[in-house]
Amino acid sequence: MTLERKRIGRQGEEAAAAFLQEKGFRLRERNFRCGLGELDIVAEEGGEIVFVEVRTRSSNLLGTPQESVDWRKQHRLRRLAAYYLQQKGLAGLPCRFDVVAVWLDKRGGVERIELVRGAF
């Protein structure tokens, strides 16, 4: 991954975290890593554990941010979430998967943020 893509990803995750907190989510963890991969944000809302995948784009040439969470990524996130719940002693709690789509403008500022609850 190029440095520019990493920078854009970090910028999107920062914006998404602030956006979720404004919406009343309680952030549990950011960038949880293990051998299976990484969870961008783990939060709580309304008694549910919410696994949030953040996708950032500066254009829609390759599709919308949320469209980039294909079935392979969904499968990987489900495995990661199961591992997280087991490791943290949270197995059995209700959970869901959300996607936060972040669009950047031409100057690199956040243009728009969209939350897709229960994305998959």
Side-chain angles (χ1 to χ4, degrees):
M1 182 180 296
T2 67
L3 289 176
E4 180 64 10
R5 284 187 64 194
K6 284 183 182 181
R7 185 192 66 74
I8 288 170
R10 274 194 306 275
Q11 182 180 0
E13 286 182 14
E14 289 294 326
F19 176 82
L20 291 169
Q21 287 178 310
E22 288 172 13
K23 296 283 185 190
F25 286 71
R26 185 174 80 77
L27 302 187
R28 294 182 61 94
E29 292 201 44
R30 292 179 57 186
N31 305 113
F32 172 82
R33 289 182 178 91
C34 68
L36 297 171
E38 179 183 347
L39 295 168
D40 293 336
I41 298 174
V42 182
E44 289 181 44
E45 184 195 41
E48 285 185 303
I49 302 295
V50 185
F51 298 97
V52 182
E53 178 67 11
V54 179
R55 292 300 178 136
T56 307
R57 293 281 187 272
S58 53
S59 79
N60 283 340
L61 290 176
L62 300 174
T64 65
Q66 55 270 44
E67 288 173 337
S68 69
V69 184
D70 63 11
W71 66 270
R72 285 180 204 91
K73 183 66 174 181
Q74 291 174 22
H75 178 72
R76 188 175 311 119
L77 290 172
R78 285 185 180 104
R79 289 181 54 214
L80 273 160
Y83 178 82
Y84 178 89
L85 292 170
Q86 187 253 338
Q87 288 297 306
K88 302 293 181 174
L90 302 171
L93 289 179
C95 65
R96 71 172 195 258
F97 296 88
D98 291 359
V99 173
V100 172
V102 179
W103 284 268
L104 302 179
D105 62 23
K106 300 275 190 233
R107 294 189 302 271
V110 175
E111 182 177 284
R112 181 169 56 126
I113 300 176
E114 182 179 325
L115 169 64
V116 181
R117 284 183 166 90
F120 58 92

Short mmCIF file of all heavy atoms in Angstrom, two decimals, residues 36 38-39 51 53 55 65-82 96-99 116 118-120:
data_model
loop_
_atom_site.label_atom_id
_atom_site.label_comp_id
_atom_site.label_asym_id
_atom_site.label_seq_id
_atom_site.Cartn_x
_atom_site.Cartn_y
_atom_site.Cartn_z
N LEU A 36 -5.58 -12.69 11.68
CA LEU A 36 -6.64 -12.79 10.66
C LEU A 36 -6.82 -11.50 9.87
O LEU A 36 -7.47 -11.49 8.84
CB LEU A 36 -7.97 -13.15 11.33
CG LEU A 36 -8.03 -14.50 12.04
CD1 LEU A 36 -9.33 -14.63 12.82
CD2 LEU A 36 -7.88 -15.63 11.04
N GLU A 38 -7.46 -6.99 10.28
CA GLU A 38 -7.70 -5.80 11.10
C GLU A 38 -9.16 -5.37 11.06
O GLU A 38 -9.79 -5.39 10.01
CB GLU A 38 -6.83 -4.64 10.59
CG GLU A 38 -7.02 -3.36 11.35
CD GLU A 38 -6.20 -2.21 10.79
OE1 GLU A 38 -5.29 -2.44 9.96
OE2 GLU A 38 -6.47 -1.08 11.18
N LEU A 39 -9.66 -4.99 12.22
CA LEU A 39 -10.98 -4.35 12.34
C LEU A 39 -10.73 -2.86 12.48
O LEU A 39 -9.99 -2.44 13.37
CB LEU A 39 -11.72 -4.88 13.57
CG LEU A 39 -12.10 -6.36 13.56
CD1 LEU A 39 -12.56 -6.80 14.94
CD2 LEU A 39 -13.19 -6.60 12.52
N PHE A 51 -19.22 -3.68 14.45
CA PHE A 51 -17.95 -3.76 13.73
C PHE A 51 -18.07 -2.85 12.52
O PHE A 51 -18.92 -3.06 11.66
CB PHE A 51 -17.65 -5.20 13.32
CG PHE A 51 -17.51 -6.11 14.52
CD1 PHE A 51 -18.58 -6.87 14.96
CD2 PHE A 51 -16.32 -6.16 15.22
CE1 PHE A 51 -18.47 -7.69 16.08
CE2 PHE A 51 -16.18 -6.98 16.34
CZ PHE A 51 -17.26 -7.74 16.77
N GLU A 53 -16.48 -1.05 9.24
CA GLU A 53 -15.48 -1.01 8.18
C GLU A 53 -15.53 0.39 7.57
O GLU A 53 -16.60 0.86 7.17
CB GLU A 53 -15.78 -2.07 7.11
CG GLU A 53 -14.83 -2.08 5.95
CD GLU A 53 -13.40 -2.51 6.31
OE1 GLU A 53 -13.15 -2.99 7.44
OE2 GLU A 53 -12.54 -2.35 5.44
N ARG A 55 -14.39 2.97 4.64
CA ARG A 55 -13.90 3.03 3.26
C ARG A 55 -13.87 4.48 2.83
O ARG A 55 -14.87 5.20 2.96
CB ARG A 55 -14.81 2.22 2.32
CG ARG A 55 -14.74 0.74 2.57
CD ARG A 55 -13.31 0.24 2.37
NE ARG A 55 -13.22 -1.16 2.64
CZ ARG A 55 -12.56 -2.02 1.88
NH1 ARG A 55 -11.93 -1.60 0.81
NH2 ARG A 55 -12.51 -3.28 2.21
N PRO A 65 -17.58 3.92 -1.97
CA PRO A 65 -16.81 3.27 -0.91
C PRO A 65 -17.47 1.99 -0.41
O PRO A 65 -16.81 0.96 -0.25
CB PRO A 65 -16.74 4.33 0.18
CG PRO A 65 -16.90 5.62 -0.53
CD PRO A 65 -17.83 5.32 -1.68
N GLN A 66 -18.78 2.03 -0.17
CA GLN A 66 -19.44 0.85 0.40
C GLN A 66 -19.48 -0.32 -0.58
O GLN A 66 -19.50 -1.47 -0.18
CB GLN A 66 -20.82 1.18 0.95
CG GLN A 66 -21.79 1.83 0.01
CD GLN A 66 -21.74 3.34 0.00
OE1 GLN A 66 -20.68 3.93 -0.01
NE2 GLN A 66 -22.91 3.97 -0.02
N GLU A 67 -19.46 -0.04 -1.88
CA GLU A 67 -19.43 -1.12 -2.87
C GLU A 67 -18.13 -1.90 -2.84
O GLU A 67 -18.07 -3.04 -3.30
CB GLU A 67 -19.64 -0.55 -4.28
CG GLU A 67 -21.05 -0.09 -4.55
CD GLU A 67 -21.20 0.61 -5.89
OE1 GLU A 67 -20.21 1.13 -6.44
OE2 GLU A 67 -22.34 0.64 -6.39
N SER A 68 -17.08 -1.31 -2.27
CA SER A 68 -15.79 -1.99 -2.24
C SER A 68 -15.70 -3.06 -1.15
O SER A 68 -14.73 -3.80 -1.09
CB SER A 68 -14.66 -0.96 -2.05
OG SER A 68 -14.70 -0.41 -0.76
N VAL A 69 -16.73 -3.17 -0.32
CA VAL A 69 -16.75 -4.22 0.70
C VAL A 69 -17.44 -5.44 0.08
O VAL A 69 -18.62 -5.67 0.27
CB VAL A 69 -17.47 -3.75 2.00
CG1 VAL A 69 -17.38 -4.82 3.08
CG2 VAL A 69 -16.87 -2.44 2.51
N ASP A 70 -16.65 -6.19 -0.68
CA ASP A 70 -17.20 -7.33 -1.41
C ASP A 70 -17.36 -8.55 -0.51
O ASP A 70 -17.06 -8.51 0.69
CB ASP A 70 -16.33 -7.66 -2.63
CG ASP A 70 -14.91 -8.09 -2.26
OD1 ASP A 70 -14.62 -8.33 -1.08
OD2 ASP A 70 -14.08 -8.17 -3.18
N TRP A 71 -17.82 -9.66 -1.07
CA TRP A 71 -18.12 -10.85 -0.27
C TRP A 71 -16.87 -11.40 0.40
O TRP A 71 -16.95 -11.94 1.51
CB TRP A 71 -18.82 -11.92 -1.12
CG TRP A 71 -17.96 -12.51 -2.21
CD1 TRP A 71 -17.83 -12.07 -3.49
CD2 TRP A 71 -17.09 -13.64 -2.08
NE1 TRP A 71 -16.94 -12.85 -4.17
CE2 TRP A 71 -16.46 -13.83 -3.34
CE3 TRP A 71 -16.77 -14.51 -1.05
CZ2 TRP A 71 -15.55 -14.85 -3.57
CZ3 TRP A 71 -15.87 -15.53 -1.29
CH2 TRP A 71 -15.27 -15.68 -2.54
N ARG A 72 -15.70 -11.25 -0.24
CA ARG A 72 -14.45 -11.73 0.38
C ARG A 72 -14.15 -10.94 1.64
O ARG A 72 -13.79 -11.50 2.67
CB ARG A 72 -13.28 -11.61 -0.60
CG ARG A 72 -13.27 -12.64 -1.69
CD ARG A 72 -12.07 -12.43 -2.62
NE ARG A 72 -12.33 -12.99 -3.93
CZ ARG A 72 -12.86 -12.34 -4.95
NH1 ARG A 72 -13.17 -11.08 -4.85
NH2 ARG A 72 -13.08 -12.96 -6.09
N LYS A 73 -14.27 -9.62 1.53
CA LYS A 73 -14.02 -8.75 2.69
C LYS A 73 -15.05 -9.03 3.78
O LYS A 73 -14.71 -9.08 4.97
CB LYS A 73 -14.05 -7.27 2.25
CG LYS A 73 -13.74 -6.31 3.36
CD LYS A 73 -12.30 -6.46 3.83
CE LYS A 73 -11.95 -5.39 4.83
NZ LYS A 73 -10.56 -5.48 5.28
N GLN A 74 -16.29 -9.22 3.41
CA GLN A 74 -17.33 -9.52 4.39
C GLN A 74 -17.01 -10.81 5.14
O GLN A 74 -17.14 -10.88 6.36
CB GLN A 74 -18.70 -9.62 3.71
CG GLN A 74 -19.21 -8.30 3.19
CD GLN A 74 -20.49 -8.44 2.39
OE1 GLN A 74 -21.22 -9.42 2.52
NE2 GLN A 74 -20.76 -7.46 1.54
N HIS A 75 -16.59 -11.82 4.41
CA HIS A 75 -16.23 -13.11 5.02
C HIS A 75 -15.08 -12.92 6.01
O HIS A 75 -15.12 -13.43 7.13
CB HIS A 75 -15.86 -14.12 3.93
CG HIS A 75 -15.43 -15.44 4.47
ND1 HIS A 75 -16.31 -16.34 5.04
CD2 HIS A 75 -14.20 -16.01 4.54
CE1 HIS A 75 -15.62 -17.41 5.44
NE2 HIS A 75 -14.35 -17.22 5.14
N ARG A 76 -14.06 -12.19 5.60
CA ARG A 76 -12.90 -11.93 6.46
C ARG A 76 -13.33 -11.17 7.72
O ARG A 76 -12.90 -11.49 8.83
CB ARG A 76 -11.83 -11.15 5.70
CG ARG A 76 -10.54 -11.00 6.47
CD ARG A 76 -9.43 -10.33 5.67
NE ARG A 76 -9.26 -10.91 4.35
CZ ARG A 76 -9.41 -10.22 3.20
NH1 ARG A 76 -9.72 -8.97 3.22
NH2 ARG A 76 -9.24 -10.83 2.05
N LEU A 77 -14.20 -10.17 7.56
CA LEU A 77 -14.66 -9.38 8.71
C LEU A 77 -15.50 -10.23 9.67
O LEU A 77 -15.39 -10.06 10.89
CB LEU A 77 -15.45 -8.16 8.24
CG LEU A 77 -14.62 -7.07 7.55
CD1 LEU A 77 -15.53 -6.02 6.95
CD2 LEU A 77 -13.62 -6.45 8.52
N ARG A 78 -16.29 -11.14 9.14
CA ARG A 78 -17.07 -12.03 10.03
C ARG A 78 -16.16 -12.91 10.87
O ARG A 78 -16.40 -13.11 12.06
CB ARG A 78 -18.04 -12.87 9.19
CG ARG A 78 -19.23 -12.11 8.69
CD ARG A 78 -20.22 -13.04 7.98
NE ARG A 78 -21.36 -12.29 7.51
CZ ARG A 78 -21.56 -11.95 6.24
NH1 ARG A 78 -20.71 -12.32 5.30
NH2 ARG A 78 -22.63 -11.27 5.89
N ARG A 79 -15.12 -13.45 10.24
CA ARG A 79 -14.15 -14.27 10.98
C ARG A 79 -13.42 -13.44 12.03
O ARG A 79 -13.24 -13.90 13.17
CB ARG A 79 -13.15 -14.91 10.01
CG ARG A 79 -13.76 -16.00 9.15
CD ARG A 79 -12.77 -16.66 8.21
NE ARG A 79 -11.61 -17.15 8.94
CZ ARG A 79 -10.37 -17.17 8.46
NH1 ARG A 79 -10.12 -16.70 7.25
NH2 ARG A 79 -9.37 -17.65 9.17
N LEU A 80 -13.00 -12.25 11.67
CA LEU A 80 -12.33 -11.36 12.61
C LEU A 80 -13.24 -11.00 13.78
O LEU A 80 -12.81 -10.99 14.94
CB LEU A 80 -11.92 -10.06 11.90
CG LEU A 80 -10.58 -10.05 11.20
CD1 LEU A 80 -10.53 -8.94 10.17
CD2 LEU A 80 -9.49 -9.87 12.23
N ALA A 81 -14.49 -10.72 13.48
CA ALA A 81 -15.45 -10.35 14.53
C ALA A 81 -15.66 -11.51 15.50
O ALA A 81 -15.69 -11.31 16.72
CB ALA A 81 -16.78 -9.92 13.90
N ALA A 82 -15.80 -12.71 14.98
CA ALA A 82 -15.97 -13.89 15.85
C ALA A 82 -14.76 -14.06 16.75
O ALA A 82 -14.90 -14.34 17.96
CB ALA A 82 -16.20 -15.14 15.00
N ARG A 96 -23.48 -6.38 14.90
CA ARG A 96 -23.81 -6.10 13.50
C ARG A 96 -22.58 -5.51 12.82
O ARG A 96 -21.60 -5.15 13.46
CB ARG A 96 -25.01 -5.17 13.39
CG ARG A 96 -24.74 -3.75 13.80
CD ARG A 96 -25.93 -2.83 13.47
NE ARG A 96 -25.55 -1.45 13.54
CZ ARG A 96 -25.83 -0.64 14.54
NH1 ARG A 96 -26.52 -1.07 15.58
NH2 ARG A 96 -25.43 0.62 14.52
N PHE A 97 -22.67 -5.42 11.50
CA PHE A 97 -21.59 -4.88 10.68
C PHE A 97 -22.09 -3.64 9.96
O PHE A 97 -23.07 -3.70 9.23
CB PHE A 97 -21.12 -5.92 9.66
CG PHE A 97 -20.50 -7.13 10.31
CD1 PHE A 97 -21.30 -8.20 10.69
CD2 PHE A 97 -19.15 -7.18 10.56
CE1 PHE A 97 -20.75 -9.31 11.30
CE2 PHE A 97 -18.58 -8.29 11.18
CZ PHE A 97 -19.39 -9.35 11.55
N ASP A 98 -21.43 -2.52 10.21
CA ASP A 98 -21.75 -1.27 9.54
C ASP A 98 -20.59 -0.89 8.64
O ASP A 98 -19.45 -1.31 8.85
CB ASP A 98 -21.96 -0.13 10.55
CG ASP A 98 -23.21 -0.28 11.40
OD1 ASP A 98 -23.96 -1.26 11.22
OD2 ASP A 98 -23.44 0.59 12.26
N VAL A 99 -20.88 -0.06 7.65
CA VAL A 99 -19.85 0.53 6.80
C VAL A 99 -19.99 2.04 6.89
O VAL A 99 -21.10 2.57 6.81
CB VAL A 99 -19.99 0.07 5.33
CG1 VAL A 99 -19.01 0.84 4.43
CG2 VAL A 99 -19.76 -1.43 5.21
N VAL A 116 -23.84 3.22 6.81
CA VAL A 116 -24.74 2.16 6.36
C VAL A 116 -24.83 1.16 7.52
O VAL A 116 -23.91 0.37 7.76
CB VAL A 116 -24.22 1.47 5.08
CG1 VAL A 116 -25.20 0.40 4.63
CG2 VAL A 116 -23.96 2.50 3.99
N GLY A 118 -26.01 -2.09 9.50
CA GLY A 118 -26.36 -3.45 9.09
C GLY A 118 -26.04 -3.69 7.62
O GLY A 118 -26.84 -4.30 6.90
N ALA A 119 -24.87 -3.26 7.19
CA ALA A 119 -24.50 -3.31 5.78
C ALA A 119 -24.46 -4.74 5.22
O ALA A 119 -24.72 -4.98 4.07
CB ALA A 119 -23.15 -2.64 5.56
N PHE A 120 -24.13 -5.71 6.08
CA PHE A 120 -24.10 -7.12 5.67
C PHE A 120 -24.24 -8.00 6.88
O PHE A 120 -24.21 -7.55 8.01
CB PHE A 120 -22.83 -7.46 4.87
CG PHE A 120 -21.54 -7.18 5.59
CD1 PHE A 120 -20.93 -8.17 6.34
CD2 PHE A 120 -20.95 -5.93 5.51
CE1 PHE A 120 -19.74 -7.92 7.00
CE2 PHE A 120 -19.76 -5.67 6.16
CZ PHE A 120 -19.17 -6.65 6.90
#
